[in-house]
Amino acid sequence: MEIISVRENPEFKSVAIEYFQKRWANENTMLIYEDCISNSIVTNSPLPHWYLLLDETREIIGCAGLITNDFISRMDLYPWICAVYIEKEHRGNAYGSLLLEKAKEDAKKAGFSRLYLSTDHIGYYEKYGFVYLGDGYHPWGDSSRIYQCELGD
């Protein structure tokens, strides 16, 4: 398995945009991924990062992002891991943990002591050091559980 940081490998920009759009966007949000991934390559800011997980044949089998806010009311908390996705036929192998560890590593390198995520999944992220913090609210009216992970020294 190989994790590609799009920021560090800008030649993956177009394929990353397409992959994230297919997995996460709808007709109203396509440009969000295009704009954010494109600008993540040229920014001097420590965030955002976008990751692709490749298998041994170099096929993309998953993705994740490390961002400043995941469209949730707790804007006092950051950074956030977002858009974690593993292709269905590759689930059950703990490949998501590889993306989580890369995001943790990059967040820690950037000087952050905690990492957050919002999700409706219960029981998955707890296996990887995340603890339920409370609920947050999205601009479209839904709520999600917020999890926090201490990044340590």
Side-chain angles (χ1 to χ4, degrees):
M1 295 295 144
E2 179 182 5
I3 296 176
I4 299 293
S5 165
V6 179
R7 175 181 277 199
E8 296 166 8
N9 299 275
E11 66 275 16
F12 281 87
K13 179 183 93 169
S14 294
V15 70
I17 290 168
E18 183 180 337
Y19 189 83
F20 277 90
Q21 286 174 331
K22 281 185 181 176
R23 296 329 179 261
W24 291 105
N26 62 43
E27 64 187 35
N28 298 317
T29 61
M30 297 291 276
L31 290 177
I32 290 173
Y33 289 99
E34 181 178 343
D35 193 42
C36 190
I37 292 170
S38 295
N39 285 294
S40 74
I41 295 167
V42 298
T43 186
N44 290 325
S45 173
L47 300 172
H49 282 275
W50 297 94
Y51 310 108
L52 297 173
L53 179 63
L54 309 181
D55 68 9
E56 52 283 337
T57 68
R58 305 222 8 113
E59 177 184 345
I60 300 171
I61 63 165
C63 65
L66 179 62
I67 60 175
T68 57
N69 187 273
D70 198 10
F71 303 109
I72 198 153
S73 57
R74 292 297 307 271
M75 294 187 186
D76 57 311
L77 306 175
Y78 58 90
W80 295 77
I81 189 156
C82 72
V84 177
Y85 186 85
I86 299 295
E87 294 293 334
K88 288 180 182 159
E89 62 271 18
H90 294 281
R91 293 179 187 167
N93 297 299
Y95 293 150
S97 69
L98 301 174
L99 293 162
L100 294 173
E101 286 305 314
K102 176 63 172 160
K104 288 178 184 180
E105 177 185 309
D106 285 346
K108 191 172 179 178
K109 271 192 231 176
F112 297 104
S113 59
R114 292 179 187 92
L115 181 60
Y116 301 91
L117 63 84
S118 75
T119 185
D120 295 325
H121 296 289
I122 299 172
Y124 179 77
Y125 294 100
E126 293 89 339
K127 295 184 232 178
Y128 304 110
F130 286 86
V131 177
Y132 175 69
L133 187 64
D135 290 340
Y137 306 94
H138 300 285
W140 50 89
D142 292 341
S143 65
S144 291
R145 296 170 62 88
I146 295 173
Y147 287 83
Q148 171 182 290
C149 179
E150 298 288 335
L151 298 177
D153 297 328

